[in-house]
């Protein structure tokens, strides 16, 4: 049994670099986010499709890689410097608990939306 997950990312800043998304299971840190994708930022919105995903509990993490270095840049205190977001109804306070961002993915699939925002004003 496999499902398809469609991810819609909005809140993309114009001219701000590609958007990266990761499908996470069990946690939101890098070891738990084993499937990912990237798309150019255009029109304020990007769509991603993950195919052949086993049913289960997942979360999506996304960010706009403004400088194209392949990672979410942070301040010395750990606050994100680039637009970022998560699935679920999470507050803008850093990385949420997995349970707050998680959703159930069942066959045939699901669609989730992630809204990007900045933790700090643009420099």
């Amino acid at each position: 049994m496999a499902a398809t997950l469609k991810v819609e990312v909005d809140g993309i800043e114009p001219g701000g670099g590609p958007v990266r998304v990761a499908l996470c299971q069990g946690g939101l840190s890098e070891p738990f986010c084993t499937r990912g994708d990237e798309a150019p930022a255009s029109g304020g919105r990007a769509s991603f499709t993950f195919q052949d995903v086993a049913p289960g509990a997942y979360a999506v993490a996304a960010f706009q890689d403004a400088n194209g270095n392949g990672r979410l840049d942070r301040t010395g205190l750990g606050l994100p410097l680039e637009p970022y977001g998560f699935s679920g109804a999470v507050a803008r306070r850093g990385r949420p608990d997995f349970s707050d961002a998680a959703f159930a993915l069942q066959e045939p699939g699901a669609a989730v939306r992630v809204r990007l925002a900045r933790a700090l004003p643009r420099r």
Side-chain angles (χ1 to χ4, degrees), residues 7-44:
V7 178
E8 186 83 20
V9 179
D10 58 15
I12 298 169
E13 295 179 354
V19 176
R20 296 177 181 264
V21 297
L23 183 59
C24 308
Q25 190 172 32
L28 291 172
S29 60
E30 199 169 325
F32 297 101
C33 302
T34 57
R35 291 182 70 175
D37 202 358
E38 176 183 317
S42 63

Side-chain angles (χ1 to χ4, degrees), residues 3 5 10 13-15 22 26-27 29-30 35 39 46 57 59 63 67-68 71 73 95 100 115 119-120:
L5 174 65
D10 58 15
E13 295 179 354
S29 60
E30 199 169 325
R35 291 182 70 175
F63 74 98
N67 59 5
R71 61 187 173 89
D73 294 322
R95 185 183 307 160
D100 293 332
R115 176 127 181 97
L120 300 169

Side-chain angles (χ1 to χ4, degrees), residues 33-104:
C33 302
T34 57
R35 291 182 70 175
D37 202 358
E38 176 183 317
S42 63
R45 175 169 286 181
S47 296
F48 300 86
T49 302
F50 292 93
Q51 307 249 1
D52 299 320
V53 181
Y58 292 91
V60 173
F63 74 98
Q64 187 172 4
D65 191 6
N67 59 5
N69 68 354
R71 61 187 173 89
L72 178 61
D73 294 322
R74 298 177 181 277
T75 68
L77 297 174
L79 294 172
L81 290 169
E82 297 170 304
Y84 72 101
F86 299 94
S87 53
V90 297
R92 194 66 47 212
R93 66 180 193 290
R95 185 183 307 160
D97 289 334
F98 177 79
S99 61
D100 293 332
F103 57 90

